[in-house]
Every structure is written in C-alpha cells, then in structure tokens.
Amino acid sequence: MPGTPRWHAGAGRLAAGGTLVAAVALLPWLSGTDPALTVLRARSADQAPTPEQLTTVREELGLDQGPLPHLLHWLGGLPRGDAGTSWVSGTPVLPEVLNALGVSVTLMLATLVVTIAVAALVSARTLHLGTRRLLHEHRTGTVAAPVAALPKFLLASLLSTVFGVWLGWFPPGGWTGPASMVLPALALGVPSGAIIGGLLDHALPATFGEPWVRTWHAAGFRPGRIARPALRRALAGVLPQLVPSVVSLVGGAVAVEKIFNIPGLGRLALDSALAQDLPLLQTATLLLALLGVAAGLLIKALRRGLLGPALRDGELAAAPALRHHRSTGRLLGGCAVALLTIVFIGLLRDPLQVDTAARLVPPSVAHPLGTDALGRDMLARLGHGALRTAGVAFAVTAVSVVLGILLGMAGQAGAGLTEVMSTLPAVLTGLLTTAVTGPSVWGAACAVCLVGWTPYAAQTAALLEQERATGYLQASISFGAGPAHLLRHHLLPAILPAVVRNALLRLPTTVLVLASLGFLGLGEQPPTPEWGRLLSENQPYLELAPWATLGPAGALILLSVLAAAASPTRWKTDRRER
C-alpha cells in the first residue's frame, strides 16, 4: 500500500510544536488571573500588593502589549541562544532549563534500565515456554497488571521511607550523586517496566505461532537460537511505547521529583506554570517537544533495524489467534466478586461523616479498612467513589483510544504530532484546559485526553506498518480488495486487541493522573471520594497509617487485574482461520 510522503511528518511536527508554544504563550491571558499579581506573589509572597506595584510589574514584563510581541521577541532570541530571563528570579532562562533537562534525562536513563529489567522478568516465562513449543494458550498477563497499577508517587514514598530513612541504604532525597538515582528510578521504572513487559508478554505468543518458528523447530534449531529473532519480532511492536512510557517521564515525573526533591524539568515546568513565568515555561515546553521528536526518530530507526528487510519487502508473517489461559475465567470472576463486595458494603456507609475522635484508626469491625486523617470511613469512601472513578477513567481511556487509532492511521503527519505531544506533562495541559473551562472533573478529563492518546497512536502506527508488510495483505490487494475491506477485515482486527490491552494496562495510570490534577485544584474537588484522590490525600500518612492508602491502592490493583483478565488476545478473522 502506498505510504504517506515523509515531509508530512515534518509538517506535523512543525504544526504541533507551533500550536503548543502558541498555546503556552496565551496562558497568562487565558487563565483569568492577573499575571502581574501571580508573578509578584511568586517573587515576594506578598498577598496584598498595591496597584502601583502591579502597574510596575506589568510595564516591566510588557504585559500590556499582549502575547504576540512577547512570543515574537522570545522566538527571535532563540537562534542567538537567548531564551530570555525569568519573570520571577530575573536570571537567564536557558542555563536553568538545561540543568533541569540534564537531571531529568539522567534519571530517565536510569529509569530505562529498571524498565528493561522489569519487562524482562515479566516476559521471561513466556519467552522460555515459547522457544520450547510449550506455549499453547495465551496467558492474561495478570502478573504485569498489579505491578503496572502501583501508583508511582506512593511507591516513591514507600521506597524513600523504607530504604532511605529506616535502613539508610540510599539518600531519601536530593540529587547528590549516582546513589540518589536508585530509589526514584525504581519508583518510576517498576510500573513502566510492568506495562512494557505486559505488552511484550502479549506479543510473544503470537510471534511463536508464526510459520517460520515451526519451520525452525522442525529444522532442529536450539531454543536460544529461536529466542533472539522471536524477541526482535515481538519487540518491534512494543518499542514505540518507550516514548510515552519512559521518555515522557522527563516532564511527567513531577510527583516523584517533589518527593525526592529532584531539580528536574517536570518540576521546573510545573512551578513556572503555576507562577506564570512564561519565558521559563515556553523554553521547557520547547525542549520537551524536541526531546519527543528525537526519541521518536531514534525508536523508529531501531524498529526498522529489528524488522530488517522483511518490513520493506512485505514478507512479514501474519500472527495467529490464540486462546486465553484456562484460569482466566476464574481470575476474572474472583476479582469481580471481590471488587463488587467492597463497593456494595461501602455504599451502605456514609462517606462524608467526620469523626475527629477516630482519626487514622486501624482496621476494625467498625471500620474494616480503617479511617483517614479526618476520621472518615475508608470503606465507605471507596464504595461511593467506585462508579465515578471507574466511569471517568473508562470514558477518558475510550476517547484516548479512539483518538489514538485515528491519528495512528494518519501516517507520517500523525507520527509527527505524536512525537511532539508524547512528552508533554498532563499537568501542563490541565493548566491550559482549566484556563478555558475552569476547574472541573470533565475539564481534567479533557486535559488527559489531549495527551493520553499518544501511546495508542504510536502503537497503532507501528502495528499497521507491520500488518501492511505481511504476505496475506499483499495477496488480498492482488485479488482486488479495496481500502475499506482491508481496514474492516484485516487491519482493525489485527491492531484493536493489542491497543485495547494497552489501554486497560494503563487504566490505573489514567486514574492517578486525574487525581493529580484534582490535587492541584484543576479537577475533582474534595470531599468527593475519588480513588486517586484518596491515595493523594493519604500519601503523607503512609508511615503512620499505611491502611489509609492500602485500601484505595488494593482497589486500583483489583480493577487493573480485572481489566487485564477481560482484555482480548487477538481477534479471529477469515484469513486467520483458513
């Protein structure tokens, strides 16, 4: 099938980058808050500045001229290496942003090592069985699901407390040397590795069912000889997920950077956005976009190297459909019963009743999951928050999947847009969206959708490229199949199960991102009992009262395992049954 001209990717990158920088430049004027007031408070913490002080700041920053002159002045200085000066500190922007970028990239590389190690552990059993022709059914990946559901900020607090404070093995905070990277890299890399490993664990069985594997087995090749090309084949479809899962942590690891007091780019971008320090925010956003483009191009080259000439010559094999493991139904039923029981019992209790005499009490007959810092029953808050949490998260995930599939099918233009948007923190889009819509749960949902489609677009584009290089598709075209027939009967059935499974593995992450926006005042507001917000509210009491976070974390893990067990493997079509 003819491809999209390569210049479309460059046009997509320029359009996305230009729109993004322009949107950031409008933030002070969209927010409805006087930027002079915000900047002055960030400078001096003065809560009641005089009109004369505000007028002086407006004249100093040129706010009366509007956003366009400022944007043009900032763009004009970039070719000279001048990104302006900070509105708050008055120091040059570029050195500060480059220092933060260096810290974040270093942490990202350490996180990548952890991610690869965890992904290898998750998929090792499937790889071992597949090379020995012992893999006859597709497992559900339920090992990866609970690990992928671990909240990064909660894991960071736990690691800092246990290994930093109690045992003293690693620094509990700061950025002083290689030892400082260990705990934050684990907090970020373990859930990310579980997502990548789960996707790889899902791709390997289909690879081992391809005809060339059976031929190699019949020819007497050793398992180790078969494992290497099989792993290359499966990795090609998973590799694009490194950008939204690992590279995006450069700007998206704000909570972990705050817990460990790391001066990274995500924390710098958030602080500058809250202070409306426009030169700092614009420069950080531009560097994040450039990093996404560079990472996208590198991963695309690696994918093509892994697949080799078969991708170019249209000689990839079609993967067969596999059955679910026999234990899937039992696991699905067990998780559903446990989750429904928690929700039903919780709905019978009052989630808003405050009992200051029962603050942070441990689990008991009266309070099976304990109470929070205000004495509210955790079981009641879990039950009443279930429908809202799951409903909003599923709605956001569904919209993101649809957008991702559509943009992933857009060819090179969609690829350029995906690269630019993949590293953008959801917190920044939340600030932009809230500036227009005001703080609300659906405003936060729109903000997550603006960046949440990127993993699915990257996966869709990669899988489509591989499917179009298979022999059966070339045969269908030679028999006169048109684009609509190919899309309906071949391409969509091949990519949808993998994309849906990816979305279900990322469902807990969506819940937590929505919670982080609510915690910043951009989304769901208290006292609404939303699961992610329950984790955020009780995270400071992790050492004193771990049960306050154990309940919502356990419910989130149950939801993740339930989603993974219910996810499809690979849909059967006519051409796979022949």
Side-chain angles (χ1 to χ4, degrees), residues 140-184:
T140 60
T142 49
V143 175
V147 182
L150 289 174
K152 292 183 175 69
F153 65 86
L154 187 62
L155 186 57
S157 297
L158 182 63
L159 291 173
S160 177
T161 301
V162 175
F163 296 102
V165 178
W166 292 355
L167 300 177
W169 291 357
F170 302 101
W175 191 256
T176 57
S180 303
M181 294 189 298
V182 175
L183 297 183

mmCIF file of all heavy atoms in Angstrom, residues 140-184:
data_model
loop_
_atom_site.group_PDB
_atom_site.id
_atom_site.type_symbol
_atom_site.label_atom_id
_atom_site.label_comp_id
_atom_site.label_asym_id
_atom_site.label_seq_id
_atom_site.Cartn_x
_atom_site.Cartn_y
_atom_site.Cartn_z
ATOM 1 N N THR A 140 -2.992 -14.258 30.579
ATOM 2 C CA THR A 140 -3.669 -12.970 30.645
ATOM 3 C C THR A 140 -2.752 -11.816 31.020
ATOM 4 O O THR A 140 -3.151 -10.671 30.976
ATOM 5 C CB THR A 140 -4.801 -13.013 31.699
ATOM 6 O OG1 THR A 140 -4.218 -13.328 32.973
ATOM 7 C CG2 THR A 140 -5.828 -14.048 31.329
ATOM 8 N N GLY A 141 -1.532 -12.086 31.411
ATOM 9 C CA GLY A 141 -0.638 -11.005 31.807
ATOM 10 C C GLY A 141 -0.998 -10.423 33.151
ATOM 11 O O GLY A 141 -0.711 -9.249 33.426
ATOM 12 N N THR A 142 -1.621 -11.208 34.014
ATOM 13 C CA THR A 142 -2.062 -10.690 35.305
ATOM 14 C C THR A 142 -0.908 -10.472 36.266
ATOM 15 O O THR A 142 -1.109 -9.878 37.328
ATOM 16 C CB THR A 142 -3.077 -11.657 35.940
ATOM 17 O OG1 THR A 142 -2.546 -12.987 35.892
ATOM 18 C CG2 THR A 142 -4.387 -11.619 35.179
ATOM 19 N N VAL A 143 0.279 -10.962 35.934
ATOM 20 C CA VAL A 143 1.450 -10.627 36.747
ATOM 21 C C VAL A 143 1.813 -9.165 36.540
ATOM 22 O O VAL A 143 2.171 -8.445 37.478
ATOM 23 C CB VAL A 143 2.636 -11.544 36.385
ATOM 24 C CG1 VAL A 143 3.887 -11.118 37.128
ATOM 25 C CG2 VAL A 143 2.299 -12.989 36.705
ATOM 26 N N ALA A 144 1.723 -8.704 35.296
ATOM 27 C CA ALA A 144 2.085 -7.319 34.987
ATOM 28 C C ALA A 144 1.044 -6.330 35.496
ATOM 29 O O ALA A 144 1.396 -5.223 35.916
ATOM 30 C CB ALA A 144 2.269 -7.160 33.475
ATOM 31 N N ALA A 145 -0.237 -6.715 35.465
ATOM 32 C CA ALA A 145 -1.304 -5.764 35.777
ATOM 33 C C ALA A 145 -1.200 -5.148 37.173
ATOM 34 O O ALA A 145 -1.267 -3.927 37.314
ATOM 35 C CB ALA A 145 -2.662 -6.428 35.581
ATOM 36 N N PRO A 146 -1.041 -5.930 38.263
ATOM 37 C CA PRO A 146 -0.953 -5.291 39.585
ATOM 38 C C PRO A 146 0.292 -4.444 39.759
ATOM 39 O O PRO A 146 0.255 -3.431 40.464
ATOM 40 C CB PRO A 146 -0.962 -6.482 40.550
ATOM 41 C CG PRO A 146 -0.563 -7.662 39.757
ATOM 42 C CD PRO A 146 -1.039 -7.406 38.368
ATOM 43 N N VAL A 147 1.400 -4.829 39.137
ATOM 44 C CA VAL A 147 2.617 -4.012 39.249
ATOM 45 C C VAL A 147 2.454 -2.718 38.469
ATOM 46 O O VAL A 147 2.870 -1.641 38.915
ATOM 47 C CB VAL A 147 3.839 -4.809 38.738
ATOM 48 C CG1 VAL A 147 5.113 -3.979 38.887
ATOM 49 C CG2 VAL A 147 3.974 -6.112 39.502
ATOM 50 N N ALA A 148 1.827 -2.799 37.279
ATOM 51 C CA ALA A 148 1.590 -1.593 36.489
ATOM 52 C C ALA A 148 0.635 -0.640 37.190
ATOM 53 O O ALA A 148 0.667 0.576 36.950
ATOM 54 C CB ALA A 148 1.032 -1.973 35.118
ATOM 55 N N ALA A 149 -0.225 -1.177 38.068
ATOM 56 C CA ALA A 149 -1.200 -0.339 38.774
ATOM 57 C C ALA A 149 -0.614 0.365 39.987
ATOM 58 O O ALA A 149 -1.288 1.197 40.596
ATOM 59 C CB ALA A 149 -2.386 -1.195 39.212
ATOM 60 N N LEU A 150 0.624 0.056 40.362
ATOM 61 C CA LEU A 150 1.218 0.699 41.534
ATOM 62 C C LEU A 150 1.377 2.197 41.285
ATOM 63 O O LEU A 150 2.017 2.599 40.311
ATOM 64 C CB LEU A 150 2.585 0.083 41.843
ATOM 65 C CG LEU A 150 2.591 -1.345 42.391
ATOM 66 C CD1 LEU A 150 4.026 -1.858 42.504
ATOM 67 C CD2 LEU A 150 1.915 -1.386 43.747
ATOM 68 N N PRO A 151 0.815 3.037 42.125
ATOM 69 C CA PRO A 151 0.997 4.480 41.945
ATOM 70 C C PRO A 151 2.464 4.875 42.139
ATOM 71 O O PRO A 151 3.086 4.507 43.142
ATOM 72 C CB PRO A 151 0.113 5.087 43.048
ATOM 73 C CG PRO A 151 -0.830 3.995 43.442
ATOM 74 C CD PRO A 151 -0.086 2.718 43.240
ATOM 75 N N LYS A 152 3.017 5.612 41.183
ATOM 76 C CA LYS A 152 4.438 5.968 41.251
ATOM 77 C C LYS A 152 4.751 6.810 42.488
ATOM 78 O O LYS A 152 5.771 6.602 43.147
ATOM 79 C CB LYS A 152 4.847 6.721 39.983
ATOM 80 C CG LYS A 152 4.845 5.870 38.720
ATOM 81 C CD LYS A 152 5.334 6.681 37.529
ATOM 82 C CE LYS A 152 5.447 5.817 36.269
ATOM 83 N NZ LYS A 152 4.132 5.392 35.758
ATOM 84 N N PHE A 153 3.875 7.750 42.820
ATOM 85 C CA PHE A 153 4.159 8.607 43.980
ATOM 86 C C PHE A 153 4.054 7.822 45.284
ATOM 87 O O PHE A 153 4.795 8.084 46.238
ATOM 88 C CB PHE A 153 3.235 9.833 43.999
ATOM 89 C CG PHE A 153 1.778 9.521 44.193
ATOM 90 C CD1 PHE A 153 1.252 9.384 45.464
ATOM 91 C CD2 PHE A 153 0.936 9.393 43.107
ATOM 92 C CE1 PHE A 153 -0.087 9.104 45.646
ATOM 93 C CE2 PHE A 153 -0.406 9.121 43.278
ATOM 94 C CZ PHE A 153 -0.927 8.966 44.554
ATOM 95 N N LEU A 154 3.145 6.828 45.324
ATOM 96 C CA LEU A 154 3.027 6.005 46.522
ATOM 97 C C LEU A 154 4.238 5.082 46.662
ATOM 98 O O LEU A 154 4.790 4.916 47.753
ATOM 99 C CB LEU A 154 1.738 5.178 46.454
ATOM 100 C CG LEU A 154 1.379 4.390 47.700
ATOM 101 C CD1 LEU A 154 1.141 5.321 48.876
ATOM 102 C CD2 LEU A 154 0.137 3.528 47.439
ATOM 103 N N LEU A 155 4.676 4.511 45.557
ATOM 104 C CA LEU A 155 5.869 3.669 45.566
ATOM 105 C C LEU A 155 7.091 4.489 45.940
ATOM 106 O O LEU A 155 7.974 4.016 46.677
ATOM 107 C CB LEU A 155 6.056 3.028 44.186
ATOM 108 C CG LEU A 155 7.174 1.994 44.035
ATOM 109 C CD1 LEU A 155 6.986 0.852 45.029
ATOM 110 C CD2 LEU A 155 7.215 1.470 42.605
ATOM 111 N N ALA A 156 7.150 5.740 45.463
ATOM 112 C CA ALA A 156 8.274 6.614 45.802
ATOM 113 C C ALA A 156 8.307 6.899 47.303
ATOM 114 O O ALA A 156 9.376 6.858 47.937
ATOM 115 C CB ALA A 156 8.172 7.923 45.017
ATOM 116 N N SER A 157 7.157 7.184 47.885
ATOM 117 C CA SER A 157 7.104 7.439 49.337
ATOM 118 C C SER A 157 7.513 6.211 50.123
ATOM 119 O O SER A 157 8.253 6.301 51.114
ATOM 120 C CB SER A 157 5.690 7.866 49.731
ATOM 121 O OG SER A 157 5.333 9.085 49.115
ATOM 122 N N LEU A 158 7.059 5.034 49.689
ATOM 123 C CA LEU A 158 7.390 3.795 50.385
ATOM 124 C C LEU A 158 8.891 3.509 50.309
ATOM 125 O O LEU A 158 9.532 3.176 51.322
ATOM 126 C CB LEU A 158 6.596 2.644 49.784
ATOM 127 C CG LEU A 158 6.776 1.268 50.425
ATOM 128 C CD1 LEU A 158 6.301 1.298 51.868
ATOM 129 C CD2 LEU A 158 6.022 0.213 49.630
ATOM 130 N N LEU A 159 9.477 3.642 49.119
ATOM 131 C CA LEU A 159 10.912 3.388 48.956
ATOM 132 C C LEU A 159 11.745 4.378 49.751
ATOM 133 O O LEU A 159 12.755 4.024 50.367
ATOM 134 C CB LEU A 159 11.276 3.466 47.470
ATOM 135 C CG LEU A 159 10.722 2.348 46.576
ATOM 136 C CD1 LEU A 159 11.020 2.647 45.115
ATOM 137 C CD2 LEU A 159 11.308 1.004 46.971
ATOM 138 N N SER A 160 11.335 5.652 49.739
ATOM 139 C CA SER A 160 12.073 6.673 50.475
ATOM 140 C C SER A 160 12.035 6.398 51.983
ATOM 141 O O SER A 160 13.048 6.549 52.676
ATOM 142 C CB SER A 160 11.485 8.053 50.179
ATOM 143 O OG SER A 160 12.135 9.058 50.924
ATOM 144 N N THR A 161 10.863 5.974 52.478
ATOM 145 C CA THR A 161 10.724 5.703 53.907
ATOM 146 C C THR A 161 11.525 4.474 54.336
ATOM 147 O O THR A 161 12.275 4.520 55.331
ATOM 148 C CB THR A 161 9.244 5.503 54.260
ATOM 149 O OG1 THR A 161 8.514 6.687 53.912
ATOM 150 C CG2 THR A 161 9.073 5.232 55.739
ATOM 151 N N VAL A 162 11.384 3.380 53.574
ATOM 152 C CA VAL A 162 11.997 2.112 53.982
ATOM 153 C C VAL A 162 13.511 2.120 53.733
ATOM 154 O O VAL A 162 14.309 1.869 54.644
ATOM 155 C CB VAL A 162 11.330 0.934 53.247
ATOM 156 C CG1 VAL A 162 12.052 -0.377 53.577
ATOM 157 C CG2 VAL A 162 9.860 0.834 53.642
ATOM 158 N N PHE A 163 13.906 2.390 52.483
ATOM 159 C CA PHE A 163 15.320 2.253 52.115
ATOM 160 C C PHE A 163 16.126 3.533 52.328
ATOM 161 O O PHE A 163 17.357 3.485 52.380
ATOM 162 C CB PHE A 163 15.436 1.820 50.649
ATOM 163 C CG PHE A 163 14.855 0.472 50.384
ATOM 164 C CD1 PHE A 163 13.604 0.346 49.795
ATOM 165 C CD2 PHE A 163 15.537 -0.682 50.738
ATOM 166 C CE1 PHE A 163 13.052 -0.899 49.552
ATOM 167 C CE2 PHE A 163 14.993 -1.933 50.502
ATOM 168 C CZ PHE A 163 13.746 -2.042 49.915
ATOM 169 N N GLY A 164 15.421 4.655 52.453
ATOM 170 C CA GLY A 164 16.135 5.902 52.678
ATOM 171 C C GLY A 164 16.223 6.300 54.135
ATOM 172 O O GLY A 164 17.290 6.673 54.629
ATOM 173 N N VAL A 165 15.073 6.188 54.858
ATOM 174 C CA VAL A 165 15.019 6.652 56.253
ATOM 175 C C VAL A 165 15.298 5.507 57.224
ATOM 176 O O VAL A 165 16.180 5.596 58.090
ATOM 177 C CB VAL A 165 13.651 7.299 56.541
ATOM 178 C CG1 VAL A 165 13.569 7.729 58.003
ATOM 179 C CG2 VAL A 165 13.429 8.493 55.627
ATOM 180 N N TRP A 166 14.551 4.410 57.096
ATOM 181 C CA TRP A 166 14.688 3.321 58.060
ATOM 182 C C TRP A 166 16.026 2.591 57.914
ATOM 183 O O TRP A 166 16.766 2.442 58.887
ATOM 184 C CB TRP A 166 13.547 2.330 57.900
ATOM 185 C CG TRP A 166 12.206 2.870 58.301
ATOM 186 C CD1 TRP A 166 11.946 4.082 58.869
ATOM 187 C CD2 TRP A 166 10.947 2.214 58.150
ATOM 188 N NE1 TRP A 166 10.606 4.244 59.086
ATOM 189 C CE2 TRP A 166 9.949 3.102 58.653
ATOM 190 C CE3 TRP A 166 10.539 0.989 57.650
ATOM 191 C CZ2 TRP A 166 8.603 2.788 58.655
ATOM 192 C CZ3 TRP A 166 9.189 0.666 57.654
ATOM 193 C CH2 TRP A 166 8.240 1.562 58.156
ATOM 194 N N LEU A 167 16.344 2.123 56.712
ATOM 195 C CA LEU A 167 17.559 1.333 56.513
ATOM 196 C C LEU A 167 18.777 2.189 56.177
ATOM 197 O O LEU A 167 19.912 1.769 56.429
ATOM 198 C CB LEU A 167 17.327 0.304 55.391
ATOM 199 C CG LEU A 167 16.199 -0.712 55.641
ATOM 200 C CD1 LEU A 167 16.033 -1.626 54.438
ATOM 201 C CD2 LEU A 167 16.501 -1.532 56.896
ATOM 202 N N GLY A 168 18.559 3.367 55.613
ATOM 203 C CA GLY A 168 19.671 4.256 55.287
ATOM 204 C C GLY A 168 20.569 3.756 54.169
ATOM 205 O O GLY A 168 21.733 4.150 54.076
ATOM 206 N N TRP A 169 20.047 2.905 53.287
ATOM 207 C CA TRP A 169 20.871 2.360 52.210
ATOM 208 C C TRP A 169 21.114 3.388 51.100
ATOM 209 O O TRP A 169 22.173 3.386 50.475
ATOM 210 C CB TRP A 169 20.198 1.120 51.613
ATOM 211 C CG TRP A 169 20.181 -0.052 52.540
ATOM 212 C CD1 TRP A 169 20.745 -0.119 53.790
ATOM 213 C CD2 TRP A 169 19.558 -1.321 52.310
ATOM 214 N NE1 TRP A 169 20.521 -1.344 54.350
ATOM 215 C CE2 TRP A 169 19.799 -2.117 53.464
ATOM 216 C CE3 TRP A 169 18.841 -1.871 51.266
ATOM 217 C CZ2 TRP A 169 19.334 -3.412 53.581
ATOM 218 C CZ3 TRP A 169 18.374 -3.164 51.373
ATOM 219 C CH2 TRP A 169 18.621 -3.932 52.521
ATOM 220 N N PHE A 170 20.126 4.238 50.865
ATOM 221 C CA PHE A 170 20.221 5.235 49.788
ATOM 222 C C PHE A 170 19.751 6.582 50.323
ATOM 223 O O PHE A 170 18.999 6.646 51.306
ATOM 224 C CB PHE A 170 19.348 4.823 48.593
ATOM 225 C CG PHE A 170 19.707 3.485 48.014
ATOM 226 C CD1 PHE A 170 18.953 2.355 48.320
ATOM 227 C CD2 PHE A 170 20.795 3.345 47.164
ATOM 228 C CE1 PHE A 170 19.270 1.121 47.801
ATOM 229 C CE2 PHE A 170 21.124 2.112 46.639
ATOM 230 C CZ PHE A 170 20.364 1.000 46.947
ATOM 231 N N PRO A 171 20.171 7.685 49.689
ATOM 232 C CA PRO A 171 19.694 9.004 50.118
ATOM 233 C C PRO A 171 18.180 9.101 49.971
ATOM 234 O O PRO A 171 17.637 8.733 48.915
ATOM 235 C CB PRO A 171 20.402 9.971 49.160
ATOM 236 C CG PRO A 171 21.596 9.224 48.658
ATOM 237 C CD PRO A 171 21.177 7.780 48.618
ATOM 238 N N PRO A 172 17.450 9.567 50.988
ATOM 239 C CA PRO A 172 15.995 9.661 50.886
ATOM 240 C C PRO A 172 15.527 10.819 50.025
ATOM 241 O O PRO A 172 14.333 10.930 49.727
ATOM 242 C CB PRO A 172 15.558 9.861 52.341
ATOM 243 C CG PRO A 172 16.730 10.503 52.998
ATOM 244 C CD PRO A 172 17.948 9.954 52.325
ATOM 245 N N GLY A 173 16.442 11.699 49.632
ATOM 246 C CA GLY A 173 16.079 12.846 48.801
ATOM 247 C C GLY A 173 17.312 13.589 48.331
ATOM 248 O O GLY A 173 18.445 13.276 48.728
ATOM 249 N N GLY A 174 17.084 14.564 47.457
ATOM 250 C CA GLY A 174 18.183 15.347 46.924
ATOM 251 C C GLY A 174 18.775 14.720 45.668
ATOM 252 O O GLY A 174 18.372 13.638 45.235
ATOM 253 N N TRP A 175 19.734 15.412 45.092
ATOM 254 C CA TRP A 175 20.390 14.960 43.861
ATOM 255 C C TRP A 175 21.887 15.203 44.035
ATOM 256 O O TRP A 175 22.436 16.206 43.609
ATOM 257 C CB TRP A 175 19.829 15.724 42.663
ATOM 258 C CG TRP A 175 20.232 15.159 41.340
ATOM 259 C CD1 TRP A 175 21.164 15.652 40.488
ATOM 260 C CD2 TRP A 175 19.699 13.993 40.705
ATOM 261 N NE1 TRP A 175 21.263 14.882 39.367
ATOM 262 C CE2 TRP A 175 20.363 13.846 39.466
ATOM 263 C CE3 TRP A 175 18.730 13.061 41.057
ATOM 264 C CZ2 TRP A 175 20.089 12.800 38.583
ATOM 265 C CZ3 TRP A 175 18.456 12.029 40.182
ATOM 266 C CH2 TRP A 175 19.123 11.901 38.965
ATOM 267 N N THR A 176 22.553 14.226 44.685
ATOM 268 C CA THR A 176 23.952 14.423 45.062
ATOM 269 C C THR A 176 24.915 13.463 44.382
ATOM 270 O O THR A 176 26.125 13.614 44.518
ATOM 271 C CB THR A 176 24.098 14.268 46.581
ATOM 272 O OG1 THR A 176 23.610 12.977 46.986
ATOM 273 C CG2 THR A 176 23.307 15.354 47.310
ATOM 274 N N GLY A 177 24.421 12.461 43.682
ATOM 275 C CA GLY A 177 25.312 11.501 43.041
ATOM 276 C C GLY A 177 24.549 10.304 42.516
ATOM 277 O O GLY A 177 23.308 10.260 42.562
ATOM 278 N N PRO A 178 25.270 9.295 42.016
ATOM 279 C CA PRO A 178 24.603 8.111 41.453
ATOM 280 C C PRO A 178 23.656 7.419 42.429
ATOM 281 O O PRO A 178 22.622 6.893 42.010
ATOM 282 C CB PRO A 178 25.775 7.200 41.072
ATOM 283 C CG PRO A 178 26.931 8.120 40.866
ATOM 284 C CD PRO A 178 26.741 9.231 41.854
ATOM 285 N N ALA A 179 23.996 7.414 43.719
ATOM 286 C CA ALA A 179 23.120 6.751 44.690
ATOM 287 C C ALA A 179 21.754 7.423 44.779
ATOM 288 O O ALA A 179 20.757 6.781 45.137
ATOM 289 C CB ALA A 179 23.783 6.732 46.063
ATOM 290 N N SER A 180 21.699 8.719 44.451
ATOM 291 C CA SER A 180 20.428 9.442 44.510
ATOM 292 C C SER A 180 19.457 9.009 43.430
ATOM 293 O O SER A 180 18.257 9.292 43.521
ATOM 294 C CB SER A 180 20.680 10.952 44.382
ATOM 295 O OG SER A 180 21.567 11.410 45.376
ATOM 296 N N MET A 181 19.964 8.327 42.390
ATOM 297 C CA MET A 181 19.098 7.922 41.284
ATOM 298 C C MET A 181 18.370 6.616 41.557
ATOM 299 O O MET A 181 17.370 6.316 40.903
ATOM 300 C CB MET A 181 19.919 7.758 40.001
ATOM 301 C CG MET A 181 20.508 9.039 39.465
ATOM 302 S SD MET A 181 21.223 8.777 37.822
ATOM 303 C CE MET A 181 22.504 7.574 38.210
ATOM 304 N N VAL A 182 18.854 5.824 42.500
ATOM 305 C CA VAL A 182 18.363 4.455 42.637
ATOM 306 C C VAL A 182 16.880 4.412 43.006
ATOM 307 O O VAL A 182 16.067 3.777 42.311
ATOM 308 C CB VAL A 182 19.203 3.689 43.681
ATOM 309 C CG1 VAL A 182 18.619 2.298 43.912
ATOM 310 C CG2 VAL A 182 20.652 3.597 43.234
ATOM 311 N N LEU A 183 16.506 5.066 44.094
ATOM 312 C CA LEU A 183 15.123 4.988 44.552
ATOM 313 C C LEU A 183 14.137 5.637 43.586
ATOM 314 O O LEU A 183 13.103 5.030 43.263
ATOM 315 C CB LEU A 183 15.002 5.602 45.951
ATOM 316 C CG LEU A 183 15.794 4.886 47.060
ATOM 317 C CD1 LEU A 183 15.543 5.550 48.401
ATOM 318 C CD2 LEU A 183 15.426 3.411 47.119
ATOM 319 N N PRO A 184 14.391 6.864 43.077
ATOM 320 C CA PRO A 184 13.441 7.422 42.094
ATOM 321 C C PRO A 184 13.371 6.610 40.811
ATOM 322 O O PRO A 184 12.299 6.497 40.204
ATOM 323 C CB PRO A 184 13.962 8.843 41.840
ATOM 324 C CG PRO A 184 15.340 8.871 42.365
ATOM 325 C CD PRO A 184 15.408 7.860 43.452
#
